Amino acid sequence: MKTWEEIKEIQPLAGKIITNSMEKGRISHAYLISGERGTGKEKIALQLAKSVFCSNKDGVEPCQTCNACQRIASKNHPDVLWIEPEGQSIKKEQIDKLQKEFMYSGLESNRKVYIIKAADTLTLNAANRILKFLEEPNKATTAIMLAENSQSIIPTIRSRCQILDLKPLNPQLFQQQLMESGIPEANARLFSALTNNLTEAIHWNEDEWFAQARKLMVQLVETFAANPDDVYLFIHSKWLPHFNERSGQEHGMDLLLLAFKDILLSHIGYEDATVVFAKSSNKLEDLVMAFSQEKVLAILNAILKAKQKLKQNVHPTLVMEQLTLQIQR
């Protein structure tokens, strides 16, 4: 997505809202752009920043080639400030540093843009600091916050932002694209359920870590079904050592979520929609017998809550232990 027209083809509502506001000279002082990974949050943020600073725009379209556009693309523009999580969260000290930056006027213009990636990882103190910015908006400042779920942002921040919820991309079309890139159908089916980023999917296809992660996920689900007394040993000896970084922990939860979705779909007769287990496999039939439809729904809800706890910086060992208890009930 390199132009607003391309953005509107993939995210028509968000693209139209932003371009209409730019055409009227009414860029919002704060945007909250939410959507799943791969839906284009960061690309939209970059495009908006370029439209603000580009000196050779064609209407609302930035030229992509001027000095400002190129530095924004490489995240080196002095008046476009990026905030990303340090560790597992965005901390108050990072927002304090941002506030100091805003004590000074723009280095190359009278405008400033700040972009907060993974805004749903803001600690409560950091969120309250950001709120002060939003309560006293500066006409020359535009805030762009990116999150996977806008509901995970505190209400007082949401109420002061223009919220743009991005729609999920079509996984079938992406699956076909993956297969055309040489990824086997089974992997393409799984990757298209996890990401909309072609580069990321190709990396996973070549990554032994991800292959082992998928294997461990299947083993864990089977252990829950056949040998529940062995689950704690499995988690501490196999699962936690492998999923030892935040991104890996999130991938593990996503894989578990897909596995139990497969079981639910099989319960209601949609085996062809499964992405983790082979269609009509004996493994899947055994798991359908082991987990009732009501139980699977409860497990899916528990996994979603566990994912949220990881984002809130709860210790991953505690999260997995609590999830295990909930699945075993």
Side-chain angles (χ1 to χ4, degrees), residues 80-103:
V80 180
L81 308 176
W82 286 81
I83 303 293
E84 302 186 26
E86 288 185 354
Q88 296 191 343
S89 62
I90 297 173
K91 301 172 178 61
K92 178 178 74 69
E93 291 76 16
Q94 292 177 264
I95 306 305
D96 289 342
K97 183 177 179 182
L98 178 68
Q99 287 178 316
K100 289 180 181 178
E101 291 284 348
F102 276 79
M103 293 174 62

Side-chain angles (χ1 to χ4, degrees), residues 1 8 12 158 220 275:
M1 296 188 290
K8 284 191 282 188
R158 290 205 311 272
L220 177 57
V275 299

Side-chain angles (χ1 to χ4, degrees), residues 224 232 295 320-329:
F224 273 120
Y232 268 103
K295 179 64 175 176
M320 279 304 300
E321 289 178 345
Q322 290 176 338
L323 179 60
T324 297
L325 286 173
Q326 291 171 311
I327 294 176
Q328 287 179 321
R329 286 175 186 166

Side-chain angles (χ1 to χ4, degrees), residues 48-150:
L48 179 53
K50 289 176 184 177
S51 293
V52 169
F53 289 102
C54 179
S55 57
N56 298 312
K57 288 198 298 283
D58 180 7
V60 298
E61 290 287 359
C63 70
Q64 307 290 347
T65 58
C66 70
N67 186 272
C69 284
Q70 290 185 353
R71 283 188 294 166
I72 290 170
S74 62
K75 300 182 181 179
N76 287 318
H77 195 289
D79 296 327
V80 180
L81 308 176
W82 286 81
I83 303 293
E84 302 186 26
E86 288 185 354
Q88 296 191 343
S89 62
I90 297 173
K91 301 172 178 61
K92 178 178 74 69
E93 291 76 16
Q94 292 177 264
I95 306 305
D96 289 342
K97 183 177 179 182
L98 178 68
Q99 287 178 316
K100 289 180 181 178
E101 291 284 348
F102 276 79
M103 293 174 62
Y104 309 101
S105 60
L107 294 177
E108 298 186 8
S109 72
N110 63 347
R111 292 195 62 89
K112 278 183 178 286
V113 170
Y114 63 96
I115 301 170
I116 301 179
K117 286 186 64 176
D120 38 3
T121 69
L122 283 161
T123 65
L124 183 58
N125 284 337
N128 287 330
R129 295 277 183 166
I130 285 293
L131 187 58
K132 291 182 179 180
F133 271 156
L134 302 179
E135 287 176 333
E136 301 174 0
N138 184 323
K139 291 183 178 179
T141 297
T142 300
I144 307 173
M145 288 182 282
L146 312 179
E148 289 193 14
N149 181 3
S150 62

Side-chain angles (χ1 to χ4, degrees), residues 193-236:
L194 291 170
T195 184
N196 290 299
N197 186 302
L198 179 60
T199 302
E200 186 174 42
I202 292 173
H203 172 71
W204 287 348
N205 189 57
E206 300 169 348
D207 188 2
E208 181 60 32
W209 182 93
F210 197 90
Q212 180 66 11
R214 180 178 184 173
K215 181 179 178 181
L216 289 172
M217 174 273 298
V218 173
Q219 290 175 348
L220 177 57
V221 176
E222 291 176 339
T223 304
F224 273 120
N227 302 296
D229 291 340
D230 297 336
V231 168
Y232 268 103
L233 177 61
F234 183 90
I235 285 173
H236 285 280

